[in-house]
């Protein structure tokens, strides 16, 4: 009934609905759409890089434009594609997995999304306003402080706004998991994806503030004449590197840990077995997160921190291989003896294990200080981090999308298209990046615009570029699959995989209140327990009653929009009056919207028991 | 719990700020936010510590800082932390008017602190020509202390809007968490100041 | 809106006594904080300690004072706040690493 009502309301009100929604399931759609859009942009940038490097001394793009493309490729993929796609999966699945009706702060959830989206748009506006940032995604000072034009300013303001949104997301998930678990859902009964969401949120909470301050310092330096990184006034450029990597290293665990959660759930579901070594999996996640804060200087081995500091950070880095290894073996042991179904979600997960292990192995190699002097800033490092970020995070996102797509939309992605996309992408991925290890070892530096003929780099680069097109083809087929599924996809029940966790105990897509009655959880894999020992359905933990729901709100969009305008203002306030006006005007819009939120009572509404009973008929 | 019970409770429970799920969420969420703020200020302190001697031949911490003013500022802010404790004490006893009185005093002490800080900055600029742009030390000093001052300013504005909005409606389960959250924020500002006066002023004087 | 008209103003006596006792604890911790502040300023103003001793003592005094704020004024010691406390320790740990990193190895 509600579906037909939605269709009748027309496009205008559907857009308004998404602009004002505070429902975590719809915010998940927004994150996936926004992240998907930026993933395409970042992918196009990647293709441009590989076309430029297809042959020696190519002149496909100019040197300056090349710098902008590599900077935007890295920044877009990390901040605007991978993170929001993961936040989308978390929003879609985590509250359902713990048996919650909503997240703790629905308003902040919406605000977090709009800050990310408008921050990302602000960053990409730079393409049309005098050039994109060109100081690399790491924006090292003094390159970033002296880069002419406004490119780097867009980087600073765009990331500042998007980063604030991510921080809110982190706090929101933490409180949701601590305060809103269903009766019986103890910490050690939470699905691994919920656990990794929890740990990731802690990392977000403690890592992003360092980036916030780094960006503030850079902004003060470029736009307000401060001297943090200016050696002539006593500044020190290394401060930026420290702040960036104090954030940046936990960030890579922010990207990979949620995917570990996805794989754990997928392996366990499609092996029809309880996850092997659940407790060890939880604790290894915690250990990875803990160690993740103590290794940032391994990105700075060649800076000259001295042998003592380098050694400490080297040892700490290598230690991370231990809990990660524990995880790899637990996944293998989960598969061992299981009744395995190989579908698209499972293919991405199975492919992850060897791909990521290669990335982990090269990680230990680059963690070796003496050897790192050889690898540093070469294609070896490029190959390493693409093996972990693509082989880990991107594979994880695809696995998660295939796994939860039916839960989110009620239709299952087409398997034939899904498998084709996987094989194209998988082959392309290894073609592109495996050869780059050797290009790096032969001395090809990263970020170079051209390379010379006959230095042994020609064939390797050509192979790498061909691989990139395979990956692009895989992504295109995945998007075709989405369109095909939306139009003609097979409709599925609430539990298409014979699932184990709570999200499969409710309809697909779930009603907006998720659980009519909160479920009573009796152990790990609660739905499976009911299937084995009960009647296959969750036992309600409460009688049917009124359900409290939050109100929709347009204020999150307004706050983000105000900051978006103010962002332009900060960038241009030194150039002209309009910039100054935008700076104050934008801040006024943002602050007044916040004040409105603060003074207006918003108690939400109730869905009455009678309505719930009627809907059941 | 119906809206009426939240806005017009018949009796106020012992801990009105944590009586509703929204209140408990807010309490926990705000603590986590403060955890993030800890790292935020740590990044500023780290930057300041590494640049504290980078005076570029301009005035140094030892030349400029006086202890008297900083001591008065410290006492003002410390006392305001206690007055906000009093406000929360009266909140728990459901004595709305007394709570508002103590919150008002807290805000005034905060304003006093802020005025002295502005005076201090003006003093450094006019007497020593020591600005945000004069050296890396200058940038680091004004950024760290200014970030704290900005937090105080935001706190005063927040408190004012809370007090005006709720002036005529007494305590309920909807605004009690808001007052409590403000009080946590205000204590945190004091925590940061303890490190500011220790690291910036006292250590600056010691050398 | 007749503001408090339907709100029972009487909080039960047990609770009132409990709140009062808590307030006493707060007053004591405030006194301790003032004492810590006085000692800190005193050390610097009188110059009784050399730099090598003064700095660790000053930092220690600051930590003690902050502990009072967290545990008493902000009620971190209360039951049911264990998860909060755990995360705050995490934040303090991350903060300590940050300060140490920036303070110690920026100029190497």
């Amino acid at each position: 009934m509600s579906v037909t009502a939605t269709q009748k309301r027309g496009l205008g009100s559907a857009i308004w609905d998404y602009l004002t929604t505070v429902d975590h399931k719809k915010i998940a759609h927004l994150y996936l759409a926004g992240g998907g859009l930026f993933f395409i942009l970042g992918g196009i940038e990647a293709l441009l890089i590989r076309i430029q490097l297809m042959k020696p001394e190519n002149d496909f793009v100019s040197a300056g434009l090349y710098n902008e493309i590599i900077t935007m490729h890295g920044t877009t993929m990390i901040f605007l594609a991978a993170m929001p796609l993961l936040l989308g999966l978390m929003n879609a699945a985590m509250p359902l997995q713990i048996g919650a009706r909503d997240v703790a702060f629905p308003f902040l959830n919406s605000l977090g999304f709009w800050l990310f989206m408008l921050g990302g748009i602000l960053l990409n506006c730079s393409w049309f306003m005098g050039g994109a940032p060109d100081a690399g995604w790491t924006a090292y000072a003094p390159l970033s402080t002296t880069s002419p034009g406004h490119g780097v300013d867009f980087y600073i303001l765009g990331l500042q706004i998007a980063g604030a949104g991510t921080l809110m997301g982190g706090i929101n998930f933490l409180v949701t998991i601590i305060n809103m678990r269903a009766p019986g859902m103890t910490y050690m009964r939470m699905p691994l994806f919920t656990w990794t969401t929890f740990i990731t949120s802690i990392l977000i909470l403690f890592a992003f503030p360092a980036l916030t301050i780094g960006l503030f310092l850079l902004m003060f330096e470029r736009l307000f004449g401060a001297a943090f990184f200016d050696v002539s006034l006593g500044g020190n450029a290394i401060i930026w590197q420290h702040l960036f990597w104090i954030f940046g290293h936990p960030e890579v665990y922010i990207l990979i840990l949620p995917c570990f959660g996805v794989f754990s759930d997928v392996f366990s579901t499609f092996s029809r077995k309880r996850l092997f070594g659940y407790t060890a999996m939880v604790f290894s996640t915690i250990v990875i997160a803990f160690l993740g804060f103590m290794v940032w200087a391994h990105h700075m081995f060649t800076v000259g921190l001295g042998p003592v500091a380098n050694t400490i950070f080297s040892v700490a880095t290598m230690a991370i291989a231990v809990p990660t290894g524990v995880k790899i073996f637990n996944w293998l042991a989960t598969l061992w003896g299981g009744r395995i179904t190989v579908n698209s979600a499972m293919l991405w997960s199975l492919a992850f294990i060897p791909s990521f292990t290669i990335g982990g192995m090269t990680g230990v190699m680059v963690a070796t200080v003496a050897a790192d002097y050889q690898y540093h800033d070469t294609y070896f490092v490029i190959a390493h981090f693409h093996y972990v970020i693509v082989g880990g995070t991107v594979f994880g996102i695809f696995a998660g999308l295939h796994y939860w797509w039916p839960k989110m939309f009620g239709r299952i992605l087409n398997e034939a298209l899904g498998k084709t996309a996987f094989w194209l992408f998988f082959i392309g991925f290894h073609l592109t990046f495996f050869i780059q290890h050797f290009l790096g070892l032969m001395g090809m530096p990263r970020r170079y615009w051209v390379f010379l003929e006959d230095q042994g780099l020609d064939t390797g680069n050509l192979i790498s570029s061909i691989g990139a097109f395979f990956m692009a083809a895989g992504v295109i087929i995945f998007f075709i699959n989405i369109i095909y599924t939306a139009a003609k996809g097979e409709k599925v029940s609430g539990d298409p995989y014979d699932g184990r966790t709570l999200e499969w105990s409710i309809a697909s897509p779930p009603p907006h209140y998720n659980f009519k009655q909160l479920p009573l959880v009796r152990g790990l894999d609660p739905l499976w327990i009911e299937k084995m020992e009960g009647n296959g359905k969750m036992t309600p933990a409460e009688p049917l009653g009124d359900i409290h729901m939050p109100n929709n709100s347009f204020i999150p969009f307004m706050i983000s929009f105000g900051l978006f305008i103010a962002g332009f203002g900060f960038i241009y306030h030194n150039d002209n009056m309009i910039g100054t006006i935008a700076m104050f005007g934008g801040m006024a819009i943002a602050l007044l919207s916040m004040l409105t939120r603060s003074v207006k009572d918003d108690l939400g509404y109730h869905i009455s028991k009678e309505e719930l009973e009627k809907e059941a008929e | 719990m119906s809206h009426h019970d939240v806005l017009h409770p018949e009796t106020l429970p012992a801990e009105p700020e944590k009586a509703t799920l929204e209140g408990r969420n807010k309490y926990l969420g705000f603590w986590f936010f403060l955890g993030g703020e800890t790292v935020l200020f740590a990044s500023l302190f780290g930057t300041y510590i590494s640049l504290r001697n980078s005076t570029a031949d301009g005035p140094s911490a030892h030349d400029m800082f006086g202890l008297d003013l900083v001591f008065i500022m410290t006492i003002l802010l410390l006392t305001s932390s206690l007055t906000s404790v009093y406000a929360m004490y009266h909140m728990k006893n459901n004595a709305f008017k007394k709570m508002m009185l103590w919150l008002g005093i807290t805000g005034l002490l905060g304003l006093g602190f802020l005025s002295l800080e502005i005076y201090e900055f003006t003093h450094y600029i006019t007497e020593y020509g020591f600005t945000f742009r004069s050296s890396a030390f200058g940038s680091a000093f004004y950024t760290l202390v200014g970030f704290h001052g900005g937090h105080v300013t935001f706190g005063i504005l927040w408190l004012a809007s809370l007090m005006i909005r709720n002036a005529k409606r007494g305590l309920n389960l909807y605004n009690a968490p808001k007052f409590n959250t403000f009080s946590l924020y205000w204590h945190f500002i004091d925590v940061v100041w303890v490190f500011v006066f220790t690291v910036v002023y006292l250590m600056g004087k010691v050398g | 809106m007749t503001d408090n008209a339907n709100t029972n103003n009487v909080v039960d006596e047990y609770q009132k006594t409990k709140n009062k006792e808590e307030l006493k604890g707060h007053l004591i911790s405030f006194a301790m904080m003032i004492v810590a502040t006085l000692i800190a300023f005193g050390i610097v103003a009188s110059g009784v300690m050399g730099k090598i001793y003064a700095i660790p003592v000053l930092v220690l005094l600051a930590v003690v004072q902050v502990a009072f704020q967290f545990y008493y004024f902000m009620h971190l010691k209360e039951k049911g706040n264990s998860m909060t406390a755990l995360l705050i320790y995490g934040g303090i740990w991350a903060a300590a690493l940050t300060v140490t990193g920036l303070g110690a190895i920026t100029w190497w």
Side-chain angles (χ1 to χ4, degrees):
Chain A
M1 186 222 140
S2 61
V3 177
T4 49
T6 317
Q7 282 163 351
K8 270 183 201 154
R9 276 187 294 129
L11 188 66
S13 68
I15 291 175
W16 178 250
D17 186 34
Y18 271 100
L19 278 174
T20 58
T21 188
V22 293
D23 180 352
H24 68 93
K25 297 177 288 302
K26 285 185 180 159
I27 290 172
H29 300 166
L30 289 170
Y31 265 120
L32 294 179
L37 176 75
F38 288 120
F39 183 72
I40 295 173
L41 277 179
I44 291 171
E45 283 148 10
L47 281 180
L48 295 178
I49 294 171
R50 281 323 315 173
I51 293 172
Q52 168 64 21
L53 294 178
M54 199 143 71
K55 60 178 192 186
E57 293 186 86
N58 201 357
D59 59 354
F60 176 67
V61 292
S62 71
L65 183 58
Y66 185 78
N67 286 347
E68 294 174 25
I69 293 171
I70 57 162
T71 303
M72 286 300 282
H73 167 68
T75 312
T76 304
M77 283 303 196
I78 299 278
F79 292 100
L80 307 179
M83 295 222 33
L85 287 170
L86 291 171
L87 288 171
L89 289 178
M90 291 173 183
N91 261 309
M94 184 277 286
L96 305 180
Q97 286 195 327
I98 59 170
R101 292 219 170 88
D102 211 323
V103 288
F105 306 109
F107 180 91
L108 278 190
N109 205 8
S110 158
L111 179 58
F113 168 75
W114 288 111
L115 284 172
F116 142 67
M117 195 63 207
L118 290 171
I121 292 174
L122 176 67
L123 178 54
N124 277 282
C125 282
S126 60
W127 288 114
F128 313 105
M129 301 180 78
D134 57 359
W137 87 278
T138 53
Y140 272 14
L143 186 61
S144 55
T145 51
T146 49
S147 163
H150 281 304
V152 175
D153 300 329
F154 278 98
Y155 171 93
I156 297 167
L157 271 303
L159 289 191
Q160 194 70 283
I161 294 172
T166 310
L167 190 65
M168 286 173 198
I171 294 177
N172 189 10
F173 289 143
L174 282 176
V175 179
T176 305
I177 293 173
I178 294 175
N179 272 0
M180 298 179 71
R181 282 166 289 128
M185 177 60 83
T186 58
Y187 285 112
M188 291 311 278
R189 286 175 181 176
M190 298 194 306
L192 241 278
F193 182 69
T194 300
W195 256 113
T196 53
T197 301
F198 185 64
I199 302 294
T200 305
S201 303
I202 295 176
L203 289 178
I204 289 176
L205 178 61
F206 296 144
F208 267 76
L211 176 71
T212 306
I213 291 304
L215 291 172
F216 265 123
L217 301 189
L218 203 52
M219 174 177 156
F220 291 164
E221 183 113 347
R222 281 184 62 93
L223 298 171
F224 298 94
F228 300 103
F229 313 122
D230 183 351
V231 179
S232 65
L233 287 171
N236 187 326
I238 303 300
I239 292 173
W240 167 264
Q241 294 193 23
H242 276 302
L243 287 174
F244 186 84
W245 290 117
I246 286 172
F247 149 76
H249 202 78
E251 166 72 14
V252 307
Y253 294 104
I254 293 170
L255 293 178
I256 197 62
L257 289 182
C259 297
F260 286 176
V262 174
F263 295 130
S264 302
D265 285 6
V266 168
F267 282 138
S268 140
T269 303
F270 296 116
S271 305
R272 301 175 68 78
K273 272 177 71 186
R274 192 194 131 120
L275 183 70
F276 189 89
Y278 172 85
T279 318
M281 289 299 245
V282 170
F283 282 98
S284 59
T285 310
I286 295 172
V287 172
I288 290 174
F290 179 74
L291 290 174
F293 272 98
M294 291 183 275
V295 297
W296 79 86
H298 68 210
H299 297 268
M300 301 162 62
F301 280 156
T302 58
V303 159
L305 300 173
V308 178
N310 276 359
T311 308
I312 294 170
F313 282 100
S314 170
V315 171
T317 306
M318 290 180 187
I320 294 187
V322 177
T324 315
V326 167
K327 283 182 171 293
I328 299 278
F329 283 110
N330 277 327
W331 287 317
L332 293 177
T334 305
L335 291 165
W336 188 268
R339 264 199 287 144
I340 297 175
T341 314
V342 179
N343 54 19
S344 306
M346 195 62 168
L347 271 180
W348 287 106
S349 308
L350 291 170
F352 148 82
I353 294 183
S355 308
F356 186 82
T357 306
I358 295 172
M361 184 196 69
T362 53
V364 177
M365 289 171 74
V366 292
T368 315
V369 181
D372 186 60
Y373 274 81
Q374 286 296 315
Y375 307 134
H376 190 82
D377 267 354
T378 71
Y379 264 78
F380 190 84
V381 174
I382 303 275
H384 158 67
F385 70 68
H386 280 92
Y387 260 85
V388 286
I389 295 185
V390 181
T393 307
V394 176
F395 283 21
I397 289 168
F398 278 121
L401 286 173
H402 272 283
Y403 183 56
W404 283 305
W405 201 271
K407 185 47 60 186
M408 289 189 277
F409 301 102
R411 288 167 188 266
I412 194 161
L413 284 170
N414 182 280
E415 274 298 314
L417 286 170
K419 284 178 179 168
T420 316
F422 163 77
W423 283 111
L424 283 170
F425 193 94
F426 178 72
I427 293 167
F429 162 67
H430 285 284
L431 271 183
T432 308
F433 296 109
F434 194 74
I435 196 79
Q436 289 186 2
H437 290 113
F438 301 99
L439 290 173
L441 291 176
M442 285 188 281
M444 183 168 165
R446 70 190 281 196
R447 300 193 171 114
Y448 274 33
W449 165 55
V450 287
F451 59 94
L452 295 177
E453 212 169 343
D454 291 330
Q455 294 189 325
L457 306 174
D458 308 13
T459 321
N461 273 300
L462 181 63
I463 293 173
S464 187
S465 297
I466 292 170
F469 283 97
F470 272 84
M471 290 167 81
V475 173
I476 290 169
I477 291 184
F478 184 81
F479 277 95
I480 291 173
N481 195 357
I482 291 177
I483 297 165
Y484 173 82
T485 305
K488 292 192 188 166
E490 182 196 340
K491 285 188 183 165
V492 291
S493 71
D495 184 16
Y497 308 130
D498 197 7
R500 314 173 70 82
T501 41
L502 281 182
E503 72 265 39
W504 307 111
S505 70
I506 52 175
S508 298
H512 61 129
Y513 46 80
N514 296 353
F515 295 88
K516 192 176 283 179
Q517 290 163 288
L518 292 182
L520 180 70
V521 175
R522 296 201 288 158
L524 182 64
D525 293 344
L527 184 59
W528 192 255
I529 290 180
E530 300 304 331
K531 283 175 180 172
M532 294 297 114
E533 298 164 15
N535 61 358
K537 285 188 183 128
M538 295 308 299
T539 318
E542 56 173 15
L544 191 62
D546 292 359
I547 295 178
H548 179 239
M549 298 295 291
N551 287 328
N552 282 3
S553 173
F554 188 54
I555 296 176
F557 182 84
M558 286 306 291
I559 295 175
S560 313
F561 181 71
L563 290 174
F564 176 72
I565 299 293
F568 283 108
F570 277 111
I571 293 168
Y572 288 105
H573 81 279
N574 286 329
D575 301 358
N576 53 42
M577 201 52 204
I578 302 169
T580 314
I581 295 170
M583 182 166 79
F584 285 104
M587 286 312 287
I589 295 174
L591 288 171
L592 285 174
S593 307
M594 283 164 72
L595 185 70
T596 313
R597 169 67 183 171
S598 178
V599 299
K600 235 181 84 188
D601 284 359
D602 181 7
L603 291 135
Y605 66 98
H606 286 89
I607 308 172
S608 72
K609 193 176 153 185
E610 290 72 32
E611 276 173 83
L612 289 169
E613 276 166 349
K614 227 162 94 187
E615 228 165 281
E617 282 158 20
Chain B
M1 204 177 287
S2 78
H3 295 172
H4 186 269
D5 291 340
V6 173
L7 287 180
H8 308 284
E10 280 188 16
T11 54
L12 217 53
E15 286 185 320
E17 76 277 12
K18 284 183 258 179
T20 60
L21 177 63
E22 285 74 16
R24 286 192 294 279
N25 286 346
K26 190 172 272 190
Y27 179 77
L28 200 59
F30 199 77
W31 260 110
F32 292 160
F33 170 72
L34 294 182
E37 289 258 288
T38 309
V39 183
L40 190 110
F41 276 103
S43 307
L44 287 170
F45 274 108
T47 307
Y48 177 82
I49 289 170
S50 60
L51 295 176
R52 70 190 187 285
N53 296 321
S54 304
T55 52
D57 297 328
S60 71
H62 194 267
D63 301 335
M64 290 183 298
F65 297 161
L67 288 184
D68 322 359
L69 191 70
V70 176
F71 184 73
I72 300 171
M73 285 164 75
T74 304
I75 295 300
L76 283 180
L77 209 59
L78 266 182
T79 312
S80 81
S81 202
L82 182 74
T83 54
S84 81
V85 164
Y86 266 90
M88 288 308 102
Y89 165 72
H90 289 299
M91 180 184 86
K92 286 183 182 174
N93 281 344
N94 198 9
F96 180 69
K97 290 214 169 101
K98 283 185 188 160
M99 179 190 82
M100 293 293 264
L101 177 70
W102 283 107
L103 283 178
I105 296 172
T106 305
L108 288 178
L109 287 168
L111 268 181
F113 172 87
L114 205 57
S115 321
L116 287 183
E117 187 156 83
I118 292 167
Y119 166 77
E120 186 205 352
F121 284 6
T122 328
H123 177 70
Y124 294 153
I125 293 167
T126 50
E127 287 293 303
Y128 297 95
F130 176 68
T131 69
F132 186 63
R133 297 177 187 188
S134 25
S135 62
F137 166 60
S139 302
F141 170 78
Y142 284 109
T143 305
L144 170 60
V145 183
F147 247 84
H148 177 265
H151 273 71
V152 176
T153 314
F154 183 81
I156 292 170
L157 292 174
W158 180 6
L159 176 63
S161 75
L162 263 182
M163 288 178 70
I164 294 168
R165 171 67 184 93
N166 293 295
K168 285 190 182 151
R169 58 179 201 170
L171 270 174
N172 56 43
L173 299 181
Y174 187 70
N175 60 21
K178 294 188 175 205
F179 285 116
N180 190 59
T181 311
F182 165 78
S183 139
L184 280 179
Y185 177 81
W186 198 257
H187 290 311
F188 185 76
I189 287 177
D190 201 23
V191 164
V192 174
W193 180 253
V194 169
F195 283 107
V196 172
F197 83 69
T198 304
V199 172
V200 176
Y201 295 99
L202 295 183
M203 287 190 191
K205 265 299 184 199
V206 171
Chain C
M1 295 273 173
T2 49
D3 79 278
N4 262 356
N6 56 355
T7 306
N8 187 350
N9 257 310
V10 186
V11 177
D12 70 79
E13 279 310 310
Y14 165 74
Q15 200 55 46
K16 241 181 176 158
T17 330
K18 200 176 145 229
N19 289 348
K20 197 136 215 171
E21 240 149 58
E22 207 177 88
L23 190 66
K24 243 183 246 166
H26 287 149
L27 275 171
I28 293 166
S29 44
F30 178 70
M32 302 292 274
M33 281 151 70
I34 293 288
V35 169
T37 307
L38 283 172
I39 296 175
F41 276 89
I43 287 172
V44 178
S46 63
V48 285
M49 271 188 206
K51 188 179 163 183
I52 302 164
Y53 297 105
I55 288 179
V57 173
L58 289 175
V59 172
L60 190 72
L61 284 168
V63 170
V64 168
Q65 206 179 139
V66 164
F68 273 115
Q69 281 272 2
F70 272 139
Y71 277 89
Y72 287 89
F73 282 17
M74 296 165 86
H75 303 278
L76 204 56
K77 67 177 165 43
E78 277 173 22
K79 257 190 264 168
N81 274 352
S82 51
M83 194 47 112
T84 320
L86 194 66
L87 269 162
I88 288 294
Y89 295 143
I92 291 171
W93 173 239
L97 286 170
T98 306
V99 173
T100 316
L102 281 164
I105 53 178
T106 303
W107 291 100
W108 279 12

